[in-house]
Every structure is written in C-alpha cells, then in structure tokens.
Amino acid sequence: MGQREMWRLMSRFNAFKRTNTILHHLRMSKHTDAAEEVLLEKKGCTGVITLNRPKFLNALTLNMIRQIYPQLKWEQDPETFLIIIKGAGGKAFCAGGDIRVISEAEKAKQKIAPVFFREEYMLNNAVGSCQKPYVALIHGITMGGGVGLSVHGQFRVATEKCLFAMPETAIGLFPDVGGGYFLPRLQGKLGYFLALTGFRLKGRDVYRAGIATHFVDSEKLAMLEEDLLALKSPSKENIASVLENYHTESKIDRDKSFILEEHMDKINSCFSANTVEEIIENLQQDGSSFALEQLKRGHDFHEGVRAVLIDKDQSPKWKPADLKEVTEEDLNNHFKSLGSSDLKF
C-alpha cells in the first residue's frame, strides 16, 4: 500500500472515529438529560425526590414516572422514615403530564398514551398507599399530574404561590390521576365544581378547600425542609408537629375568607344534579353572573390539546359537538374492561 493510499485510509478512519465520538456524546447527552429529569437523594433518614424540568414547569414525562415509581420502595427501607417530593425552579411543583408530547406521538402512530396513563395511575396509587410519611411541597403551579403526585400523600404543604387546578375538561379529558376519588370528598359539591369547570385555586385557598393539609409562607419553605431533614428517625406525629408549627406561624392571607365562600350555596345547589345536562340547566335557571360564567367551557383529547397547547386557538371542535349527541353507548365505551390490561391494586 502506497503512502497516499495509507493517508486516505487513515483520514477515513479518523473521520469515522470523530463521527462515532459525536454520536456517542449525543446519546450520552440525551441519556444524561433524561436521567436528570428527576433528582433522587437520600439525606439522612429522608428520601428526597426533586422534579427537575423547570423550563417545562416540571411537566411529567414517562421517563420521570419510571424513575419515581421504583424509588417509592424507600418505604420498605428501615433506614428511611420520611419521603419529601418537590419541584425545581420555583415556578411550579408540577404543571401536569406532558400531554402535548403524548398527543403528538399518537398522531405519529406511536401508542404512548395507554402506557403513560397506565404507569402514571400506578404511581398515583403507590403514593396513596405509601406506608412512610410522604410530604409534598406544592409550591407554584400544581395541576393535573402534579396533583396526582401530591394529593394522595399524607401531607401536602401549599404556599401563597401555589396555583391548583384540574384543567382536564378544557382538553376533552376527565379529571384523572385519582380525581374521581379525592374531588367528591371535598366539602359539599366543591369537587364537582372544580372538576367540571377547571376553576383555579390560589395560595391559602388550596388549604381552605381541603386539598393541602398545611399552609406555609414561601420564604420559610427552605427552612421547613431543613427542619424536616434534621429530624432523627421521626414518627408521623413528629413530622406533623413541625408542619403544624410552620402552619400556625404563617400570616399571609390568614384573615381573608375562602374565595368561593359566598358562592358555595350556589355550587352545592347547581352541582348536586346527577347529570351534566341537569347541572347546565341549573346554572341557566340560576341566571346569576357567577352561574353563567361557569357555562363558558378519543378525538376530544387530541383536539383539546391542539386547541389549548399546540395551535392555541382556544377553539376546539369536539366530537360530538353537543352534550345531547352523547349516547349511553359512548359513555359505556369509556368504561369497558381492558381484560388482562385492567389495573389491579
């Protein structure tokens, strides 16, 4: 082999190496980015879960679910006495599931939705059945999937910057992540109202509604976490005592009444009907400005995501277009057994 041929061969080999090195770094970067969507730390006798997608308001991905779910086995560790979950970035605990990605994948014939929701609901159940004290610091936006990661735990700590909602109806989805369990258990018909309207609760009202168990000033949140981490082999009562002390000391909006207090009679009356059609009729007959404001609200999920999150035209074209067109068969189809795929807890 001549010198020129050797040089060409070595040049091609080096180019091949450079290409493979770049591809390797891209793969490693992608893997690292995915791995860092959730930070998992053991601090003393406490397991700390941090949702780490602040640029996306910590929206929940399938990868995040798959990291958090096995980590809840901390409850089986005799050296772990407490689990804390929080969001990075200061703007959101978790703004919900990353449904835009799910909807776009479905349109590309990638069946991600059944897998995502199945594993998300399994995670929600694991939170609800966790045997160790579970403290969710719901600071900032807490909606949909973020509610599922928090509301089923023993302790939910809201701050004045907490913004709670179950906005699923705006995208043609039902209030999932266990919404059918915790919403009806709120005072009166408040849960039905929140489910059907997507009404947003802020700050101390999240506590007053019964969604949060405690309220803490946001400037004290880091101190609260430090005090919880400083506990040695704490009992549930020890943890509750620390949370109660901070809750009692909080002064923000302490003297303000619940934002929906003056409307609770109307909510209890209008939303006590057995069907959505009857609820709408009740609101129309009531005729008050509050009642009329509540009236402004398969294909529907993707169409809702398109209208609200992708094209942002806020004009979804529902199928069917009117409640009167919804048949019993349509309803029954949503409750059909999945056979061996049914979730069993």
Side-chain angles (χ1 to χ4, degrees):
M1 182 182 292
Q3 188 173 3
R4 182 172 295 180
E5 285 74 17
M6 177 66 77
W7 181 83
R8 284 177 179 170
L9 183 61
M10 290 300 297
S11 295
R12 287 175 182 171
F13 177 70
N14 287 333
F16 174 77
K17 280 177 61 179
R18 285 195 298 271
T19 301
N20 275 323
T21 299
I22 291 170
L23 290 172
H24 173 73
H25 282 303
L26 285 172
R27 283 194 295 267
M28 289 301 293
S29 175
K30 185 177 180 181
H31 174 75
T32 302
D33 289 346
E36 292 179 350
E37 289 181 342
V38 178
L39 304 179
L40 303 167
E41 305 168 275
K42 185 71 186 299
K43 297 184 177 182
C45 61
T46 301
V48 181
I49 302 169
T50 305
L51 309 177
N52 194 38
R53 295 184 76 212
K55 290 183 180 178
F56 302 96
L57 301 177
N58 298 321
L60 195 62
T61 65
L62 183 58
N63 174 67
M64 294 168 75
I65 292 168
R66 288 177 171 175
Q67 290 187 71
I68 298 169
Y69 183 71
Q71 204 61 45
L72 289 184
K73 289 183 180 177
W74 268 328
E75 69 171 333
Q76 300 170 8
D77 176 14
E79 300 302 316
T80 300
F81 289 80
L82 169 64
I83 297 173
I84 295 175
I85 186 167
K86 60 182 181 176
K91 290 185 178 179
F93 169 68
C94 174
D98 200 336
I99 53 176
R100 177 172 178 166
V101 171
I102 298 167
S103 183
E104 290 178 343
E106 289 290 307
K107 288 180 180 178
K109 308 298 183 185
Q110 299 173 3
K111 296 294 180 183
I112 291 179
V115 177
F116 177 90
F117 289 118
R118 179 184 179 84
E119 296 191 26
E120 182 184 27
Y121 300 161
M122 290 173 66
L123 175 57
N124 300 152
N125 180 70
V127 170
S129 58
C130 184
Q131 297 302 302
K132 295 288 173 72
Y134 181 98
V135 178
L137 304 179
I138 49 176
H139 172 67
I141 300 169
T142 304
M143 298 183 182
V147 176
L149 286 175
S150 56
V151 76
H152 304 295
Q154 287 183 328
F155 301 108
R156 292 91 63 189
V157 183
T159 72
E160 75 278 6
K161 295 183 180 179
C162 181
L163 178 63
F164 165 94
M166 292 295 286
E168 288 79 4
T169 51
I171 58 166
L173 185 64
F174 67 99
D176 65 340
V177 297
Y181 178 81
F182 79 86
L183 287 169
R185 287 167 169 76
L186 300 181
Q187 57 179 297
K189 296 298 178 180
L190 177 61
Y192 293 81
F193 169 77
L194 295 175
L196 290 171
T197 66
F199 188 88
R200 297 181 174 192
L201 294 173
K202 299 177 183 178
R204 195 178 283 268
D205 284 333
V206 180
Y207 165 74
R208 291 192 179 104
I211 294 155
T213 58
H214 298 82
F215 180 85
V216 174
D217 298 351
S218 61
E219 64 179 18
K220 299 287 183 67
L221 198 60
M223 291 174 58
L224 168 62
E225 185 177 350
E226 288 177 10
D227 283 353
L228 289 172
L229 292 173
L231 293 172
K232 305 298 181 184
S233 306
S235 65
K236 177 182 174 181
E237 290 71 27
N238 296 147
I239 295 163
S241 177
V242 172
L243 295 175
E244 191 61 32
N245 286 339
Y246 275 85
H247 174 80
T248 303
E249 291 172 3
S250 175
K251 295 182 174 58
I252 294 177
D253 294 336
R254 180 188 289 177
D255 299 324
K256 286 186 178 180
S257 59
F258 182 40
I259 191 171
L260 292 171
E261 189 64 41
E262 63 180 299
H263 304 298
M264 281 308 299
D265 287 343
K266 287 186 188 297
I267 289 172
N268 291 336
S269 174
C270 293
F271 287 81
S272 61
N274 291 322
T275 67
V276 176
E277 291 90 336
E278 290 175 1
I279 290 174
I280 289 175
E281 187 177 334
N282 288 345
L283 291 168
Q284 289 171 336
Q285 289 179 354
D286 182 276
S288 65
S289 58
F290 174 79
L292 296 178
E293 179 65 26
Q294 310 319 313
L295 291 171
K296 296 176 186 177
R297 305 249 337 137
H299 163 88
D300 282 354
F301 171 67
H302 304 298
E303 175 61 12
V305 173
R306 180 204 65 75
V308 176
L309 299 176
I310 299 176
D311 296 338
K312 299 183 180 179
D313 57 23
Q314 308 299 323
S315 300
K317 298 174 178 62
W318 306 122
K319 289 184 181 178
D322 193 280
L323 275 173
K324 296 175 183 176
E325 299 174 26
V326 179
T327 66
E328 286 297 315
E329 183 180 1
D330 291 331
L331 294 174
N332 291 334
N333 282 337
H334 287 289
F335 291 91
K336 277 184 177 177
S337 170
L338 298 175
S340 61
S341 296
D342 275 343
L343 288 175
K344 296 179 177 65
F345 298 116

